[in-house]
Amino acid sequence: MDERLDRNFLEGELHEKIIVRERRRRRILIGVTLTLFLVLSAVPVYQERLPKWESLDAARRIAVEIERLKTDSIRLKKPLKLTLFESGEVKVDVVNDCEAGAPAGQETVGESLRTENWKNGNNTLSILPVDQARKLNLNLVVDQLCFDPVNGLSQSKTKKVLVILPVKDLAESRLDRASYVEVETPTARISIN
């Protein structure tokens, strides 16, 4: 009789182990399915927001270059002009005067101070050209800044804005994924939007 009870007990214990194992497998399968669903549903959101994140990173790099422009201008005690090109180059030149009345080409004094790159290697970003910005009624957009250590940022008393946007958005005149580097005059205080 004891043998029969032991066998029934062992069969019942074995059955419970099988049920526990099946529940564990079911939980793992549900967890993996849920994780896969969340990952796959996040892909379109990631693809939509990636250009904005890249333009914000480029805006941060340009803001750092503007800060370096101010620092170098004060250190050298000379006005410096920062020019941004669509190819991704940042060129800093020493100039005689930051005033807009100086003849084109004659304001540069000697060689450029430095030339660097504000883009990543993927060439998906561009600076909004001034002429295209005027067509979009963005009147504060510039592609160059001149900082004088005595007078600060030159020209008008309003802020200046540099617009960095994905190249695809440039063709469509879409500005929702663009990043803006706003520079206040004359202090050249920077904010990124």
Side-chain angles (χ1 to χ4, degrees):
M1 177 126 152
D2 287 338
E3 222 174 271
R4 219 155 125 223
L5 287 174
D6 285 342
R7 192 176 12 189
N8 285 340
F9 179 74
L10 289 174
E11 285 176 7
E13 192 174 289
L14 182 62
H15 183 67
E16 287 177 7
K17 287 183 180 180
I18 292 172
I19 290 173
V20 168
R21 193 177 328 136
E22 286 177 2
R23 285 182 184 165
R24 187 179 316 131
R25 271 193 207 139
R26 212 175 303 140
R27 286 184 192 137
I28 290 172
L29 182 63
I30 290 171
V32 167
T33 306
L34 181 64
T35 303
L36 186 62
F37 170 75
L38 291 175
V39 167
L40 289 177
S41 63
V43 169
V45 174
Y46 175 78
Q47 288 176 338
E48 175 64 26
R49 294 186 182 171
L50 182 63
K52 177 65 175 181
W53 297 334
E54 289 176 345
S55 66
L56 281 172
D57 184 51
R60 182 196 55 79
R61 290 178 190 198
I62 290 173
V64 168
E65 287 300 321
I66 294 170
E67 286 296 328
R68 283 183 61 191
L69 172 84
K70 292 178 357 184
T71 304
D72 291 344
S73 176
I74 292 170
R75 183 177 49 84
L76 296 172
K77 298 182 175 101
K78 295 181 181 178
L80 297 178
K81 181 171 103 179
L82 178 127
T83 308
L84 297 167
F85 298 101
E86 288 184 41
S87 63
E89 288 184 20
V90 175
K91 185 177 179 186
V92 178
D93 295 315
V94 179
V95 294
N96 286 329
D97 192 12
C98 280
E99 294 303 316
Q106 295 181 0
E107 68 267 1
T108 303
V109 179
E111 295 294 319
S112 66
L113 189 62
R114 69 179 178 276
T115 303
E116 296 196 12
N117 201 329
W118 58 266
K119 280 188 182 181
N120 288 337
N122 55 9
N123 288 332
T124 58
L125 298 174
S126 179
I127 292 288
L128 182 65
V130 176
D131 57 341
Q132 192 167 1
R134 300 288 182 261
K135 291 177 187 174
L136 297 171
N137 293 327
L138 300 172
N139 298 323
L140 300 176
V141 174
V142 295
D143 57 0
Q144 61 185 9
L145 298 170
C146 188
F147 187 82
D148 189 334
V150 177
N151 300 326
L153 206 59
S154 65
Q155 297 158 354
S156 66
K157 297 295 180 194
T158 61
K159 62 183 163 187
K160 298 176 185 238
V161 180
L162 300 163
V163 181
I164 303 99
L165 71 162
V167 175
K168 293 178 185 176
D169 293 353
L170 182 62
E172 299 170 3
S173 298
R174 181 180 172 188
L175 297 175
D176 61 327
R177 296 189 294 187
S179 294
Y180 304 90
V181 179
E182 298 174 0
V183 185
E184 292 183 14
T185 56
T187 60
R189 196 181 97 207
I190 301 169
S191 64
I192 299 174
N193 295 325

